[in-house]
Amino acid sequence: MELNRKRILVTFLMHLGDLTLTTPFLRALRNAAPDSYIAMLVDEKLKDVVLHNPCLDEVITIDKKGRDNHLLSLWACAHRLSAMHFDILLNLHPNERCSFIDAMTKVPVRAGTTNWLFRPWFRPYTPLDRTKHAADMYLDVLTQLGVRELRHHGLEIFPGPEADAAAREFWQHAGVEAEDRLVGFNIGSAVETKRWAPERFAAVADALASEGYKIVFFGGTMDLDMVRDAVSHMKARPIVATGEFSIGELAAAMRRCALIVTNDSGPMHVAISQRVPIVAMYGPSHPDLYGPYTDRASIVTALPPCPGCADGMKHHCDDPRYHGRCMTDLTVDQVLAACHGWLDGTAASGGTERRTV
């Protein structure tokens, strides 16, 4: 299918981490269609992920869990998109809201994936390949359309000048000097079973603080209780940036860090988009499918592996004998060893393979 010199709409209404994982697709699409007008429909709360992306000409938003959380609003969105006269619509995830909007939008060509109810509207339809990483899975949509050269730069978030300025101002007010080495901590996760214990994060933070690193806690307002818990176990006094940043500002602030220590969560992917090394704790989810899309990451898992999480992508263990062990058996010493690998420079010199420790 010819993609160049077209008006193309990309639709995606999933979560922070998932949206960040679409950015390689956007780069590959722009390379395949350099003279096309490319717009993207996203959740309004997450627009910072793509707002300043140079591969897009326009970002269109809906407030999917707020004012637009009803059928009439989704229908109105489809009517608005129809009036924009796109030539091609590309959907990347079978989310029900997005699939309905896509099916109701008048456009000559709909392609990509969709909810099973709307498959007759999509030609070609792209089935999701759950055996590969999500970022590569989204690229399959282009492969289905005949694109053979899928060049991209990995995950990319461009914070924009206002977000850059806000991050600089925050660090200045926090007393961070040019020579300081910051280690960031992202201890939250929307899924409770993906969370490592706050007191263990505190132990890692204290150990690194004693070596001269400045500690900063990131995350959203929903993570404040967990961060307060972690800080209460610490001897050192960290910088608490939890709930202080928009997504764009978070990306700009994370760029200042020498390392991010994180659970499997959306902010982990934001850190990766800024080329910051990460140490990621993984338990019930599968890093080969939704893990760090970078060679600058160490994945830490329980040793020996938890039998209840052998096939990955579970939020709980079917066998109660193993429930939670994937995270509780993951030790402070393991995480510190992975941190030192990046902070001392030994991990970076060990090749380009993403490392599991």
Side-chain angles (χ1 to χ4, degrees), residues 28 52 84 87 118 201 205 218 237 259 286 295 313 335:
H52 298 284
M84 298 177 74
D87 301 302
F118 302 106
F201 276 110
F218 293 112
R237 184 178 180 183
L259 178 71
H286 202 308
D295 59 5
M313 295 315 296
V335 175

Side-chain angles (χ1 to χ4, degrees), residues 251-312:
M254 282 182 157
R255 191 190 303 148
R256 176 63 178 78
C257 294
L259 178 71
I260 301 290
V261 186
T262 177
N263 286 325
D264 170 23
S265 64
M268 176 190 76
H269 300 293
V270 174
I272 292 168
S273 78
Q274 302 307 299
R275 308 298 182 259
V276 179
I278 69 163
V279 169
M281 278 65 78
Y282 266 76
S285 54
H286 202 308
D288 289 342
L289 303 180
Y290 285 92
Y293 198 68
T294 177
D295 59 5
R296 294 171 61 81
S298 293
I299 297 168
V300 189
T301 60
L303 294 175
C306 173
C309 296
D311 58 354

Side-chain angles (χ1 to χ4, degrees), residues 20-279:
T20 307
L21 290 171
T22 69
T23 57
F25 170 91
L26 297 178
R27 177 68 64 176
L29 174 60
R30 176 54 75 190
N31 288 335
D35 304 312
S36 289
Y37 186 91
I38 303 175
M40 190 172 191
L41 174 69
V42 301
D43 185 4
E44 185 174 290
K45 294 184 290 296
L46 303 179
K47 66 181 179 181
D48 282 3
V49 174
V50 294
L51 186 61
H52 298 284
N53 192 308
C55 299
L56 293 175
D57 296 291
E58 184 177 1
V59 175
I60 305 164
T61 67
I62 65 168
D63 185 8
K64 72 172 191 178
K65 291 290 184 70
R67 66 177 181 275
D68 296 316
N69 190 20
H70 55 87
L71 192 61
L72 284 178
S73 186
L74 301 183
W75 194 292
C77 177
H79 182 74
R80 176 164 55 113
L81 295 174
S82 298
M84 298 177 74
H85 303 293
F86 289 103
D87 301 302
I88 301 171
L89 184 153
L90 303 177
N91 186 41
L92 303 184
H93 193 280
N95 168 274
E96 291 84 355
R97 287 184 182 86
C98 211
S99 298
F100 176 81
I101 291 171
D102 295 341
M104 297 301 106
T105 297
K106 295 179 181 177
V107 62
V109 175
R110 294 181 195 84
T113 191
T114 188
N115 183 275
W116 67 271
L117 287 169
F118 302 106
R119 286 183 189 177
W121 281 262
F122 282 73
R123 292 185 177 87
Y125 165 73
T126 307
L128 295 184
D129 185 350
R130 297 294 190 180
T131 67
K132 60 175 62 175
H133 195 285
D136 296 321
M137 183 175 66
Y138 301 142
L139 289 166
D140 283 348
V141 172
L142 293 178
T143 303
Q144 286 274 94
L145 298 176
V147 177
R148 294 290 174 260
E149 193 171 349
L150 301 173
R151 292 181 292 114
H152 60 80
H153 300 162
L155 306 190
E156 299 179 284
I157 294 178
F158 301 86
E162 292 183 359
D164 283 333
R168 285 195 301 271
E169 183 178 357
F170 179 86
W171 293 130
Q172 182 180 2
H173 282 253
V176 174
E177 304 291 343
E179 65 274 11
D180 289 333
R181 296 195 73 193
L182 270 62
V183 176
F185 284 76
N186 172 59
I187 74 172
S189 176
V191 180
E192 185 176 357
T193 51
K194 293 182 180 182
R195 300 173 193 161
W196 203 40
E199 62 270 20
R200 297 193 182 189
F201 276 110
V204 174
D206 266 339
L208 295 177
S210 70
E211 297 168 15
Y213 295 98
K214 281 198 170 182
I215 306 301
V216 55
F217 283 91
F218 293 112
T221 53
M222 73 292 294
D223 302 321
L224 275 169
D225 287 342
M226 285 177 281
V227 169
R228 292 187 186 111
D229 190 5
V231 172
S232 72
H233 287 89
M234 290 181 63
K235 298 176 183 176
R237 184 178 180 183
I239 300 169
V240 177
T242 312
E244 295 291 333
F245 296 130
S246 68
I247 293 172
E249 292 165 356
L250 175 66
M254 282 182 157
R255 191 190 303 148
R256 176 63 178 78
C257 294
L259 178 71
I260 301 290
V261 186
T262 177
N263 286 325
D264 170 23
S265 64
M268 176 190 76
H269 300 293
V270 174
I272 292 168
S273 78
Q274 302 307 299
R275 308 298 182 259
V276 179
I278 69 163
V279 169

